[in-house]
Amino acid sequence: GVKDAADVPKISEKNAISEHVLPLVLSFVFLLALMYFSMGKMFGFPMPYWYIGNENVLVAGLLQFFLMLPVVYINRGYYSRGFKAAFHGGPNMDTLIAVGSGAAILHGIIVLFRMAYFAGNGGIALAADAGKHLYFESAAMILTLVSLGKFLEKRAKGKAGDAIEKLMQLRP
């Protein structure tokens, strides 16, 4: 049959929502793995033998860095929109997200270099101490939770639109 014009936006809204499900799920998968490795020891979770101990501190730091990268890649739109808006003189919420998560990433990279320097010069204890100040999980958490919020907002808007459409159909 012939589709009503009101059906077209509804279909595209559902497609837009479903497009965001896979990136959101992938972000959460990598975030959970990152949280396990960055904070699991604090909660008494069992850690693999190759991850624990001062001699493996660089392995731990690099693993956290590489678990954060997919989350950053999946949510790279915040950086492009945020920095673009900032450079055009109109910073917005994406700018705040990009700066916040970007600062955590930059700090973590600096700490990784400090860890490598200390480890290379025989200061394994100093490298292990520096490794306590990696914040890659913070960057991934910011991006993932904001993406979750935007997903829930789109879903709520879609449901509100459906409810309004049903109300309009009740008109005489």
Side-chain angles (χ1 to χ4, degrees):
V2 176
K3 287 190 176 191
D4 192 307
D7 290 339
V8 176
K10 192 166 106 177
I11 292 169
S12 65
E13 276 179 16
K14 286 186 180 182
N15 286 342
I17 289 171
S18 65
E19 283 177 11
H20 295 284
V21 171
L22 181 61
L24 186 60
V25 168
L26 288 174
S27 289
F28 266 105
V29 166
F30 283 102
L31 174 65
L32 289 174
L34 179 56
M35 294 302 291
Y36 172 78
F37 283 109
S38 65
M39 299 183 144
K41 204 155 97 175
M42 282 192 270
F43 295 108
F45 295 152
M47 302 305 275
Y49 73 92
W50 50 265
Y51 189 80
I52 55 176
N54 284 353
E55 63 277 359
N56 295 333
V57 70
L58 275 175
V59 171
L62 287 171
L63 178 63
Q64 290 177 39
F65 175 74
F66 285 115
L67 285 171
M68 176 219 43
L69 285 179
V71 178
V72 171
Y73 180 76
I74 290 166
N75 297 290
R76 67 192 177 277
Y78 293 116
Y79 295 103
S80 60
R81 290 187 306 268
F83 289 129
K84 188 178 195 180
F87 289 130
H88 290 303
N92 57 21
M93 191 63 173
D94 288 340
T95 307
L96 181 64
I97 295 162
V99 169
S101 63
I105 294 167
L106 182 61
H107 177 75
I109 291 170
I110 291 168
V111 169
L112 273 178
F113 276 101
R114 287 185 63 213
M115 291 167 62
Y117 174 79
F118 291 143
N121 290 301
I124 290 294
L126 290 172
D129 189 51
K132 295 175 185 173
H133 303 287
L134 291 170
Y135 296 110
F136 294 130
E137 78 281 352
S138 298
M141 182 74 74
I142 290 168
L143 294 168
T144 303
L145 290 181
V146 169
S147 294
L148 174 64
K150 287 192 177 210
F151 170 78
L152 293 173
E153 179 184 12
K154 282 182 185 185
R155 200 176 81 182
K157 281 182 181 178
K159 286 183 179 182
D162 290 345
I164 290 170
E165 187 178 311
K166 287 179 184 175
L167 282 173
M168 289 178 66
Q169 290 174 356
L170 293 176
R171 286 189 344 199

